[in-house]
């Protein structure tokens, strides 16, 4: 399965904390909805197999980014969108930096492991 999804927010913008409560920020919720909209019609049922996931992250600008800070929001959004049952199913996970693309995006390949 190949998916083209919006560029994820950083972990620093995805989660918020209020006292002892940690929750998904407004930016995180928007990203989740955008991912759900992007997979509509492409995903019939959540995958239940062990998985290999490869991501090419195309940043929106030349600004320096930590790829690992973009990974967890992307995986969580794909879980919420029903791509797979749980990201615990991923046994092989790779992320590489792609070229800069206006608006940014991630290209995700999901395969049976």
């Amino acid at each position: 399965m190949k998916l083209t999804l919006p560029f994820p927010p950083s972990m620093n913008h995805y989660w918020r904390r209020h006292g002892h409560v940690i929750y998904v920020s407004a930016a995180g919720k928007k990203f989740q909805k955008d991912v759900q909209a992007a997979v509509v019609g492409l995903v019939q049922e959540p995958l239940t197999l062990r998985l290999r996931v490869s991501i090419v992250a195309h940043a929106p600008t030349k600004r320096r980014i930590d790829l690992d800070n973009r990974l967890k929001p992307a995986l969580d959004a794909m879980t919420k969108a029903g791509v797979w049952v749980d990201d615990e199913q991923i046994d092989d996970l790779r992320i590489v930096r792609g070229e800069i693309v206006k608006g940014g995006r991630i290209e995700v390949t999901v395969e049976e492991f």
Side-chain angles (χ1 to χ4, degrees):
M1 170 188 317
K2 293 188 182 251
L3 304 168
T4 300
L5 304 174
F7 196 72
S10 143
M11 287 288 292
N12 301 330
H13 294 103
Y14 188 78
W15 297 105
R16 289 289 177 251
R17 181 182 188 129
H18 183 69
H20 295 291
V21 178
I22 298 173
Y23 60 94
V24 177
S25 69
K29 288 180 183 178
K30 180 185 181 316
F31 175 69
Q32 288 176 345
K33 286 181 183 180
D34 291 346
V35 169
Q36 287 173 340
V39 303
V40 167
L42 301 174
V43 177
Q44 310 309 323
E45 285 186 29
L47 298 169
T48 58
L49 309 164
R50 304 306 301 174
L51 301 172
R52 171 180 292 121
V53 177
S54 301
I55 299 174
V56 179
H58 299 278
T61 66
K62 291 181 181 181
R63 184 176 177 193
R64 291 173 39 168
I65 62 163
D66 291 338
L67 290 178
D68 61 325
N69 277 341
R70 308 299 170 137
L71 193 54
K72 187 63 176 163
L75 298 177
D76 285 352
M78 286 185 275
T79 301
K80 188 165 179 75
V83 174
W84 45 65
V85 176
D86 191 285
D87 56 10
E88 175 279 331
Q89 296 167 242
I90 302 169
D91 290 331
D92 185 354
L93 177 61
R94 299 161 195 250
I95 185 167
V96 297
R97 191 181 312 271
E99 69 268 1
I100 296 165
V101 174
K102 185 175 181 177
R105 70 171 181 255
I106 59 173
E107 296 168 352
V108 182
T109 303
V110 181
E111 304 170 298
E112 181 178 356
F113 182 70

